[in-house]
Structure formats: structure tokens, C-alpha cells
Amino acid sequence: MPQNYDIIIVGAGTSGSFAAYHLSKMGFRTAIIERKPEEEIGNKVCGDGIGSHHFDQIKLEKPKLGYDAETVFKGIKVYGPNEKSYIIASGEGYALNRYNFGQRLLKMALDSGAELYDMHQVLQPIIEGSWVKGVIATNLKTREKTEFQAKVVVDASGAIPAVRSKLPEEWWVSEKISREDYDICYREIIELDKEVETEYAAVYLNTEIAPGGYWWWFPKNKNIVNVGLGVQWTKEAPNPKDQFEKYIRPRIKNHIVKIINRGGGIVPARRTISCMVWNGFITVGDAACTANPIHGGGIGPSLLSALKAAETIEEALETNKPSIENLWSYHHKYLEIYGAKQASLNILRIYLQNLSNNDFNLILERNIVSNQDFLNVVYNGEIRMNILTKFGIAIKLLTNPSLLLKIKTVKNYMEEARKLYLNYPKKVTEFESWQKRAKNLFNEFTEKLRH
């Protein structure tokens, strides 16, 4: 016997629970399908950090210290490979209690009327013609299969999308993501026998320890830290756990009281997928690649994408026809608030992944990028002209200027990427030509770095 809902949401993580909260509060009959048991929802391998400004953007009550927040940061220090020079991105942020935060969002959804089917795994979407009409899921306890039908299916299932990846290849929304666009990560939450600084989170750039990524040190309180590393998932990528054991463990092994939690995961670190909707279908969070390409932070943008998706679905269902045309405005809502910056930062990430440890040390030691410059890049996705002048001076001091010569090219392509995504097509019929321009832009930039 099919189960019928207005909305089916696959995944009860940050984006899924937040979308379910808004949609059920709007009066839609909403179901959440989740593989984990209810009591484990919220457990996830993550850096656990989020900027305070995201809560202002989405009008969500900020985390409470002692419940869903462990500490408050003044900002993030980004260290070079020598671990002496650094720049600071100032701005209040939280080290979350990830589990309690996830449980808080789930409770908000359930209290608003959403129904949870935990311990259910989605097997496949239900497709009728060019429409998504629901999903088929199996109960992991009883192995019974259930058909869930809905007007709209929301894929919030994470970095390996349970629904989007099973849609027909010719549908734009089923875009395949290159493995090089993912970071593979390993992290531990550790109690130490010594006190640590809690005012700032720390990120360390080092191509030997974390090629294509970084390693981090995020205090949760004076004696507990979230420490881990992420590497770009290339064919030559080292195992992040092996890197942790080789480079990070020796620094702290004599101070470990206990390991509270450990685990690995993957994070999409790129621009959003080009098309995030289809007839009766919309995708949010990591399933749509909404994480920040530079620091991999995904909690804030996943909340933003969930909110904008819910608003779009409400508008579409007013017409009672959630077609691709009526869901199309989701792109404009999300790209304007965050996604265009992501596209710009995706260009910067490609550039940074080609720099050496010597390059990183030079940039930080000579103060080529000031705290304010860095803040502008991180929050606005923009490189200012004064950075070009300082890079030019630094390059004259080098015998091998390397990729630093190409910073003006990086600036130009970042601006082009941002502009292109802010001018996302208004009509579905214009998408393919826009997508071609986007692909050409990123391919062209990658080629320029090679020559």
C-alpha cells in the first residue's frame, strides 16, 4: 500500500531536517526517510564549525553553549606550512555539539508535523515519464519495501546522493561529480590532559600533510579538540587516516586522555551542481554540492539551501504543478545568497591546489594577504587590486616565481565565475548554452594554470 505525502525528504541531516521543519510548518504533509535510527541522527564526521552570521541569514535561534554549542570562536587562524606565519579571518563562529544540533533540528521538524521513517533505506526513485513521483525504500529492520509517493521529492541524502545519482543520465540534475572535486577526511574528537586556546579555530596549509586540502585544530573546550585533515581525492591521494597517524598523532599522543569519537567521510568541495531541480524533484545540501570550496564548511550553506528550497516548493505547489519550470527559481534564490560566491571560490581552490609549501610560506611570511584581504576573499569571494600589487613585489624576490605570476588571471576568472552564476538563466530553455559556458570557463582556467 503506497504512502502518500505532499513532500518526501530523503535524509534527516542538517538540510533535510531544516527543510522538513519549514515545509511541515507551511502546512504540507511531509515525511523524512532516514537510514539511521532516530537516536543516532545528528552523528556525523564533521569539523563542527559554523559562522554565527548564518543564523542571522536564516532567522534561526543561535546555538546554546552547553547544549548544541561547545564554544564560541572569534575567528579562524590560517597557518602556512612553517606553522609560524598566519592570517586571521575574524568573525564569530560556533564549535557545535553536532549530535545535539542535529537532534534539535529534527525535533523542530517533528514538532511542526513532519513524520519520520527512520531505519529506512531508499532503493530507487519512482519515475513516471519525465517526473519524479516518489521513492521506494526498504525497512532495515523488517526488510519490507514501501512505496512513498509525493508531489515533490527532496534529496538531502549527502555527498553520495541516494536519489539524484539514480535518476536518468540525460536529466541535467543527475550530473556526475569528478572524484577530484571531493575531499576525503579523517578526524578525531580528543580529550587532552592540557588546556588549549579556545578563542580561535586553526587551519594549517601543508601540501605534504594534506595535499589539496588542509589539516585543522578546532577546540571544543579547554581540554577537548576536534582535530583532523582532508585531502583532495585524486588517484594519488594518500589515505587521510594514515596521514593523521603519521603527522598529527605524534604531536598529541603524550597528552591524550581519551578519544571520544573518530571517523572518516567525504565532502564535495566545489561549485554547486549546474542544475538542482527537475519535475517533482529538488536537491539540497551536500547532495547539491553546497559546501564552501575553500574551507569545506557545509553546515551553513546546507541550511541556506534548505530554506530556499522550501520557499521555492511552497511557491510551486501554489500552482499544484511542481514542474522544473516552477522550481527553477530555486537556483536564483540560492546562487544569489551563496552559490555565486561558491563558484568564485571554486576558481581560487583550483589555484591553491597547485601551490607549493614554499608558495604558501611566502604569501604568509611577507603579509601579501592581510587579514582584511583574506576576510574579503572568504566572505565575498573577491580578490582586491592591492593584492595584485603585493604579489608583484613578492615575485621580484623569487628565483622561481611559480604560479604566483598568475594571480591576476585568478582574480579575473573569479570575477567571471561569480558574474556567470549571478546571471543564471531565467528560462529552462537557456540552460544548456549557459552550462556550456560554465564548463568552458572552468576548463579554460585549469588549462591556463598548466601553461
Side-chain angles (χ1 to χ4, degrees):
M1 185 76 178
Q3 297 288 331
N4 289 284
Y5 289 89
D6 294 317
I7 318 290
I8 294 292
I9 297 175
V10 180
T14 301
S15 58
S17 291
F18 198 53
Y21 161 67
H22 280 285
L23 289 162
S24 54
K25 190 173 67 171
M26 291 169 181
F28 298 114
R29 189 161 181 248
T30 304
I32 312 170
I33 302 174
E34 169 59 51
R35 288 182 58 190
K36 295 177 181 176
E38 181 174 354
E39 63 273 13
E40 290 185 15
I41 293 171
N43 277 331
K44 184 178 179 179
V45 172
C46 180
D48 300 336
I50 180 173
S52 176
H53 62 286
H54 288 299
F55 294 95
D56 297 326
Q57 284 179 297
I58 61 176
K59 295 181 173 54
L60 177 65
E61 183 182 351
K62 293 181 179 180
K64 290 186 173 69
L65 286 172
Y67 176 62
D68 53 348
E70 309 276 7
T71 193
V72 180
F73 298 131
K74 289 183 177 179
I76 299 175
K77 292 182 178 179
V78 179
Y79 287 85
N82 63 18
E83 298 185 18
K84 296 176 183 177
S85 305
Y86 62 85
I87 48 179
I88 297 176
S90 299
E92 185 181 79
Y94 294 94
L96 295 175
N97 179 313
R98 194 69 171 78
Y99 174 74
N100 285 348
F101 184 68
Q103 286 283 311
R104 171 190 164 193
L105 293 178
L106 177 64
K107 185 176 186 301
M108 287 168 56
L110 299 182
D111 287 350
S112 295
E115 299 177 41
L116 175 67
Y117 291 84
D118 65 343
M119 295 290 288
H120 277 70
Q121 182 173 351
V122 169
L123 301 176
Q124 64 187 69
I126 299 170
I127 296 172
E128 295 180 11
S130 63
W131 283 75
V132 178
K133 291 292 186 177
V135 297
I136 296 173
T138 185
N139 186 316
L140 295 176
K141 292 179 285 188
T142 66
R143 297 298 168 182
E144 180 183 357
K145 293 181 182 179
T146 303
E147 189 175 297
F148 293 88
Q149 296 181 347
K151 296 173 183 176
V152 179
V153 172
V154 180
D155 192 348
S157 58
I160 307 297
V163 183
R164 192 174 71 76
S165 62
K166 296 182 176 69
L167 297 176
E169 289 186 8
E170 63 271 19
W171 291 8
W172 304 327
V173 74
S174 67
E175 178 182 351
K176 301 294 184 291
I177 306 304
S178 167
R179 64 185 288 164
E180 287 81 10
D181 282 340
Y182 289 98
D183 278 356
I184 47 175
C185 311
Y186 177 80
R187 74 99 172 93
E188 294 184 356
I189 297 176
I190 302 172
E191 181 181 346
L192 303 171
D193 65 1
K194 64 174 184 176
E195 290 191 358
V196 298
E197 177 191 333
T198 60
E199 286 191 337
Y200 290 92
V203 163
Y204 294 83
L205 303 173
N206 191 307
T207 61
E208 183 179 5
I209 297 174
Y214 61 85
W215 71 273
W216 68 84
W217 178 275
F218 292 173
K220 296 179 83 66
N221 62 41
K222 290 183 178 181
N223 296 97
I224 296 176
V225 294
N226 179 323
V227 57
L229 60 85
V231 305
Q232 185 184 19
W233 195 10
T234 62
K235 290 181 180 179
E236 301 80 23
N239 183 304
K241 187 175 187 299
D242 292 343
Q243 294 294 97
F244 186 96
E245 295 297 338
K246 182 177 181 180
Y247 293 104
I248 310 302
R249 178 86 64 207
R251 300 165 182 255
I252 54 176
K253 66 179 182 180
N254 295 329
H255 297 284
I256 296 174
V257 175
K258 66 178 178 180
I259 297 170
I260 298 169
N261 189 281
R262 69 177 83 194
I266 65 172
V267 180
R270 49 158 284 156
R271 60 198 182 277
T272 62
I273 57 173
S274 298
C275 175
M276 301 188 286
V277 302
W278 202 256
N279 296 316
F281 179 80
I282 196 165
T283 183
V284 296
D286 280 355
C289 300
T290 59
N292 186 296
I294 299 299
H295 54 65
I299 301 173
S302 71
L303 291 167
L304 290 170
S305 69
L307 175 61
K308 296 307 171 185
E311 292 173 357
T312 305
I313 291 168
E314 181 184 32
E315 292 166 2
L317 290 183
E318 285 178 359
T319 68
N320 206 32
K321 189 179 181 183
S323 63
I324 185 172
E325 290 83 4
N326 287 335
L327 294 172
W328 197 251
S329 63
Y330 170 51
H331 298 108
H332 300 281
K333 292 183 177 74
Y334 180 73
L335 293 176
E336 183 177 343
I337 198 171
Y338 198 86
K341 179 181 81 170
Q342 262 184 270
S344 174
L345 292 177
N346 193 183
I347 292 286
L348 181 60
R349 178 180 174 83
I350 294 168
Y351 173 69
L352 294 176
Q353 287 174 330
N354 285 275
L355 296 182
S356 68
N357 277 349
N358 287 337
D359 293 330
F360 284 127
N361 280 329
L362 174 79
I363 291 168
L364 293 169
E365 286 172 359
R366 299 190 180 279
N367 195 32
I368 295 174
V369 179
S370 69
N371 292 345
Q372 188 57 47
D373 292 332
F374 182 57
L375 198 65
N376 190 61
V377 171
V378 170
Y379 288 105
N380 298 321
E382 297 173 345
I383 290 179
R384 292 176 176 167
M385 288 301 297
N386 66 312
I387 295 181
L388 302 187
T389 303
K390 289 189 282 186
F391 262 79
I393 294 170
I395 286 167
K396 294 176 183 176
L397 303 176
L398 296 177
T399 56
N400 179 16
S402 181
L403 289 165
L404 297 183
L405 282 166
K406 300 187 177 179
I407 189 64
K408 186 173 182 180
T409 300
V410 176
K411 173 180 167 58
N412 291 340
Y413 274 86
M414 286 178 68
E415 290 173 353
E416 285 299 310
R418 183 184 183 88
K419 188 187 304 179
L420 183 63
Y421 277 72
L422 284 175
N423 286 282
Y424 193 85
K426 299 290 184 185
K427 298 178 181 179
V428 176
T429 53
E430 299 169 346
F431 171 75
E432 288 183 315
S433 61
W434 178 91
Q435 184 187 41
K436 186 176 181 179
R437 292 199 302 275
K439 285 182 178 179
N440 287 342
L441 179 73
F442 286 93
N443 289 339
E444 187 180 284
F445 175 71
T446 303
E447 280 300 311
K448 281 187 180 292
L449 291 185
R450 291 174 180 164
H451 300 293

